[in-house]
Amino acid sequence: MENCKVIAITNQKGGVGKTTTAVNLGVGLASSGKRVLLVDADPQGSLTVSLGIKNPDELDVSLSSLMQSVIDDEPLAEGAIIRHQEGVDLLPSNIELSGMETGLFNVMSREYVLKNAIDGMRKSYDYILIDCMPSLGMMTVNALVAADSVIIPSQPNFLSTKGLNLLLRSISKIKRQINPRLKIDGILLTMVDNRTNFAKEIAALLRDTYGSKIKVFGTEIPHSVRAKEISAEGKSIFAHDPGGKVAEGYRNLTKEVLKLEKQREKNRAGLSR
Ligand code: ADP
Ligand code: MG
């Protein structure tokens, strides 16, 4: 049975830790023995750069080549996937993806192009993490259609109800109209200043506002300059500063994500009995 889980890491706000989370949750899952593909769905190519590709714009084949194959109804372009030394695979992106996104408006089944590009890869991976761009545009819609669940990174002080409401509205619209199995795994508090006790306060606030609709991960990712350094190094925090608090945060997040899966498997087994 195919058992791959596709997670979109999304928030229309930039600079909240989406790419950092994709890299480090990805490497965390790979260290736990999972087969992981990281998909860069941002034309900025930050995930691609963070994994050590210095000039993404020089890549011949990237995510946009695969999406173009889908649009042209041709076999998928080959040779896009890059193996990273820390055990994750990368489907890179570059500026070409932005032209791709603009062109999507005239395409048949435009919301399904990314899904059709990556669904065939599910059999080769346990987790596919999609690093979304900071917008709720067509690329993000494609990511939410391709995904089984969503993780929403957010800095506690930037967690605006308005922004979150917009994102939740997009998610539930896609769930209703296109992808009924889409779930929200949770909000991940990032760059948390450990002098405050944000996570608890925010979890309580969210519970008041949204009831049990959204969970906040028990793990919070602390703020640390060490985390800032990794994208220039092309490595994860586990390689750069394994004993530090950010590595510990992402290690705990990995455990939480793995636990979610165990819980779901149990529920499935219970249902099928
Ligand atoms: P996004 O993908 O949402 O735009 P990034 O992951 O690129 O966000 O993070 C934005 C900036 O914050 C980057 O410069 C990154 O290095 C930095 N950053 C990410 N996580 C942390 C952290 N835990 N502590 C300090 N800086 C961080
Ligand atoms: Mg990013």
Side-chain angles (χ1 to χ4, degrees):
M1 198 189 91
E2 177 237 283
N3 225 344
C4 176
K5 184 173 181 198
V6 181
I7 306 176
I9 300 175
T10 189
N11 186 332
Q12 72 272 33
K13 191 162 173 52
V16 295
K18 291 183 288 296
T19 302
T20 307
T21 299
V23 171
N24 295 299
L25 176 59
V27 171
L29 289 166
S31 318
S32 311
K34 301 294 178 187
R35 298 166 303 162
V36 178
L37 175 67
L38 301 180
V39 178
D40 192 348
D42 183 348
Q44 298 285 327
S46 327
L47 175 64
T48 302
V49 172
S50 293
L51 289 174
I53 313 297
K54 294 259 158 30
N55 300 307
D57 289 351
E58 286 168 16
L59 292 168
D60 290 331
V61 202
S62 63
L63 175 62
S64 67
S65 330
L66 267 66
M67 291 177 71
Q68 192 60 51
S69 308
V70 171
I71 291 168
D72 297 340
D73 205 16
E74 281 173 357
L76 287 185
E78 281 178 24
I81 290 177
I82 299 171
R83 193 139 293 164
H84 185 264
Q85 73 260 20
E86 290 182 65
V88 291
D89 282 356
L90 167 69
L91 186 46
S93 279
N94 56 32
I95 194 69
E96 280 174 34
L97 193 66
S98 107
M100 162 66 51
E101 191 194 24
T102 320
L104 277 176
F105 281 93
N106 304 312
V107 165
M108 208 199 293
S109 308
R110 59 188 185 186
E111 293 92 354
Y112 293 85
V113 178
L114 178 59
K115 180 180 173 61
N116 290 335
I118 65 172
D119 258 357
M121 301 174 189
R122 282 178 176 262
K123 58 181 183 302
S124 312
Y125 297 99
D126 300 307
Y127 285 91
I128 298 179
L129 307 184
I130 307 175
D131 182 27
C132 292
M133 61 191 289
S135 88
L136 290 173
M138 203 30 83
M139 249 337 273
T140 299
V141 169
N142 265 262
L144 294 174
V145 170
D148 303 312
S149 70
V150 183
I151 292 178
I152 305 170
S154 181
Q155 276 174 273
N157 33 343
F158 284 157
L159 192 71
S160 78
T161 326
K162 200 179 258 173
L164 192 57
N165 277 341
L166 276 172
L167 176 57
L168 293 177
R169 216 175 300 150
S170 285
I171 293 171
S172 43
K173 191 171 167 196
I174 287 166
K175 195 174 155 79
R176 272 196 314 275
Q177 301 189 358
I178 308 184
N179 181 10
R181 66 177 182 170
L182 186 63
K183 292 193 176 63
I184 301 177
D185 285 336
I187 294 178
L188 171 68
L189 298 177
T190 57
M191 300 180 227
V192 176
D193 187 334
N194 64 8
R195 282 165 300 186
T196 55
N197 198 4
F198 264 128
K200 274 201 192 102
E201 281 169 34
I202 290 199
L205 192 79
L206 289 168
R207 259 196 305 278
D208 286 348
T209 318
Y210 301 101
S212 57
K213 235 167 79 183
I214 332 182
K215 109 176 193 147
V216 181
F217 283 100
T219 303
E220 33 181 299
I221 308 298
H223 188 281
S224 156
V225 285
R226 294 301 202 156
K228 262 208 181 326
E229 294 159 359
I230 62 170
S231 68
E233 301 250 329
K235 299 178 184 167
S236 77
I237 194 71
F238 304 114
H240 181 63
D241 183 30
K245 55 189 183 173
V246 173
E248 188 192 346
Y250 280 109
R251 227 172 264 128
N252 290 334
L253 176 68
T254 303
K255 283 186 202 145
E256 269 198 80
V257 168
L258 289 169
K259 218 160 150 196
L260 277 176
E261 239 25 57
K262 288 215 184 87
Q263 194 53 49
R264 244 167 238 164
E265 271 162 34
K266 251 194 220 153
N267 294 346
R268 270 200 297 267
L271 284 176
S272 62
R273 220 180 281 139

